[in-house]
Amino acid sequence: METSRFTTSRRGFLGLVGTGAAVAALAACSTGGGGGGGGASASLKFWNMPWGTPAFNTLDSKITLGYKPESGLPAATYQAIQWANFNQTFSSALASKTGPAISSGGGTQAFQFAKQGFIAPADGLIESWKSNGLYDDFLPGVLDTMKTDAGYVAVPYNLDMRVNWYNRELLEKAGATPPTDWQSYLDAAAALKKIDVYGFAANGNASGGNAFQMIVGLMINNGGGIFDEEHKPNLVTAANIEALEFVRENISKGYMDPAAISYTATNANSQWKAEKFGMGFDVPNLAANVGGASSSQLVVGDPLTSASGKKGALYFPNNIMMYKNTPSQKGSEAFMTYYYQNMKALWTQNTGIGLPVLKSIAATPEFQSDQNAVKIVKMWQPIAKTWAAPGGTALFSNISYVDSTPAISDFGQNVLSGKSPKDALTTFQSTLTSLIKD
């Protein structure tokens, strides 16, 4: 039986909301970046997050310190940055010009810092990859998520998304078949209900749940989403209302655990493990998070065809960015090329980093051994869209207002508590409009 390779649930897409004071300080202190000279006299600082198990940063450091630069280019140093207070860590370091030359971070971090003048565009780097095969190695569409009118803000690094899972044994027991569209999903959930199993798994806790991601994923599935082509919130649409009606039907028919509105992800994992949840939308590493005997029965389903005949899902392209304050921009780009050519071991040695962005990594025997992960990359990633949907593909700074924020958490809770779709969407629209000033 297959189980997920990914052993640690990661922050797929972290915004910078809540750091308004820090961002304001950056705007006041910014001189538009700096550095660019310096040659090999100063080291190139690479800061990375703990994307997986403790083994991740250990191996990542080894890869980084194994970099042998060309003559005249700086060597690289490595520092692991913890998720706790990471916004403040980066903000303070950039304001004092003690920050990294290259880093990963929150999913919208590069877009926020680009707006403040700290990010070095990746256009030259990505163009250079057309000659060494890296450009064509990226999964379809992922590079486009980083491309703005001002150029590439960052480079995709690892992926997270929300996909449909089901417990194979429970569906068989209920006499149900794996769903392929919204109606067959409802049919399978009805069959599960007859054996006292919930078919619409959710975790709506305001601080430890991610049901709002599932809900937005269903909106995207139906051709909707949050933002229009002008990067403005446009929520009260027929596509979004229809998606929320689908959610409300699952709730009203008793397919969702009534306590789910207060569940954290950990609570939901326990329900999957206890075989009280039989179907639902969750993270790519759900099976590993659940553990135990039940995990071997968890299977990634096919992308669902929505009521409007569309397919789609929500995904989070985490990224690596370069900063203007570097001892050498040429050195930054040389290191990035080395790193992307040598980061495969982070996946093949099962460090829990998440889904790869490179086809060559997805094609390795180690990755191919996980049938669930393979299916996600093969069938879900090509139809997945970012928070920017339906208006576009590329991320932008205002997405930080919907990335794990109180505004979107409240929206999720309103939907799960039975508020009418139009009212829930109208309230969310009003909240976002009041927050977004540009």
Side-chain angles (χ1 to χ4, degrees), residues 5 7 53 55-56 58-60 62-63 342-353 361 364 366-367:
R5 297 169 59 252
T7 56
T53 66
F56 168 80
T58 299
L59 178 57
D60 198 47
K62 183 178 179 180
I63 294 170
N342 290 273
M343 67 183 186
K344 176 172 65 177
L346 297 172
W347 282 266
T348 60
Q349 294 187 30
N350 195 25
T351 65
I353 183 175
I361 297 176
T364 60
E366 294 87 350
F367 189 86

Side-chain angles (χ1 to χ4, degrees), residues 181-182 221-223 242 304-312:
D181 55 27
W182 284 8
N221 187 177
N222 203 40
E242 190 171 39
L304 301 182
T305 300
S306 73
S308 64
K310 297 180 174 64
K311 293 183 179 180

Side-chain angles (χ1 to χ4, degrees), residues 8 10-12 14-16 46-61 64 78-90 100 102-107 109 113 157-158 318-321 323 339 346 351-354:
T8 305
R10 292 269 56 85
R11 297 167 182 251
L14 296 166
L16 297 179
F46 177 42
W47 289 7
N48 210 356
M49 314 305 293
W51 289 106
T53 66
F56 168 80
N57 286 116
T58 299
L59 178 57
D60 198 47
S61 176
T64 300
Y78 186 85
Q79 185 172 345
I81 303 297
Q82 298 304 309
W83 287 114
N85 301 313
F86 82 100
N87 293 327
Q88 291 81 356
T89 299
F90 278 99
I102 300 166
S103 81
S104 68
Q109 179 173 310
F113 288 151
Y157 179 36
N158 66 77
N318 297 301
N319 50 77
I320 291 182
M321 63 212 79
Y323 298 84
Y339 186 80
L346 297 172
T351 65
I353 183 175

Side-chain angles (χ1 to χ4, degrees), residues 288-307:
N289 290 344
V290 170
S294 299
S295 65
S296 65
Q297 297 297 326
L298 296 180
V299 178
V300 172
D302 293 345
L304 301 182
T305 300
S306 73

Side-chain angles (χ1 to χ4, degrees), residues 156-422:
Y157 179 36
N158 66 77
L159 303 176
D160 185 16
M161 65 185 73
R162 298 298 169 259
V163 300
N164 183 36
W165 287 86
Y166 63 87
N167 184 305
R168 174 173 41 210
E169 191 173 73
L170 292 177
L171 252 63
E172 290 175 356
K173 183 179 178 181
T177 56
T180 57
D181 55 27
W182 284 8
Q183 184 55 56
S184 58
Y185 188 99
L186 291 167
D187 295 341
L192 287 169
K193 182 181 179 182
K194 293 178 181 178
I195 61 169
D196 296 321
V197 173
Y198 294 108
F200 193 72
N203 48 84
N205 185 278
S207 59
N210 60 21
F212 57 85
Q213 296 169 345
M214 170 193 70
I215 293 165
V216 174
L218 287 168
M219 289 158 53
I220 292 172
N221 187 177
N222 203 40
I226 298 175
F227 293 99
D228 62 20
E229 293 84 353
E230 297 180 353
H231 299 173
K232 302 297 184 183
N234 183 21
L235 284 147
V236 191
T237 65
N240 287 342
I241 291 172
E242 190 171 39
L244 266 58
E245 290 287 2
F246 172 69
V247 175
R248 185 157 73 165
E249 185 171 359
N250 275 278
I251 296 170
S252 65
K253 290 184 174 178
Y255 304 155
M256 186 186 82
D257 184 345
I261 192 170
S262 64
Y263 282 169
T264 63
T266 300
N267 296 143
N269 291 340
S270 296
Q271 291 293 79
W272 282 102
K273 188 172 186 177
E275 299 188 349
K276 295 302 294 180
F277 283 179
M279 193 166 58
F281 297 84
D282 218 301
V283 298
N285 49 331
L286 176 67
N289 290 344
V290 170
S294 299
S295 65
S296 65
Q297 297 297 326
L298 296 180
V299 178
V300 172
D302 293 345
L304 301 182
T305 300
S306 73
S308 64
K310 297 180 174 64
K311 293 183 179 180
L314 175 64
Y315 85 139
F316 316 108
N318 297 301
N319 50 77
I320 291 182
M321 63 212 79
M322 298 181 292
Y323 298 84
K324 291 180 179 178
N325 187 27
T326 175
S328 165
Q329 181 58 32
K330 183 178 179 181
S332 290
E333 294 183 7
F335 172 78
M336 286 281 282
T337 298
Y338 160 83
Y339 186 80
Y340 273 74
Q341 289 175 330
N342 290 273
M343 67 183 186
K344 176 172 65 177
L346 297 172
W347 282 266
T348 60
Q349 294 187 30
N350 195 25
T351 65
I353 183 175
L355 298 167
V357 294
L358 299 183
K359 300 172 189 174
S360 58
I361 297 176
T364 60
E366 294 87 350
F367 189 86
Q368 289 287 313
S369 68
D370 183 343
Q371 296 177 38
N372 285 325
V374 169
K375 188 169 189 177
I376 294 172
V377 168
K378 182 179 180 179
M379 297 186 67
W380 285 83
Q381 187 276 323
I383 56 97
K385 302 181 187 300
T386 69
W387 289 118
T393 298
L395 302 172
F396 49 91
S397 60
N398 283 343
I399 282 173
S400 61
Y401 290 101
V402 302
D403 186 19
S404 300
T405 64
I408 198 166
S409 179
D410 288 348
F411 168 63
Q413 289 219 318
N414 282 338
V415 174
L416 295 187
S417 64
K419 193 168 187 176
S420 78
K422 186 174 182 179

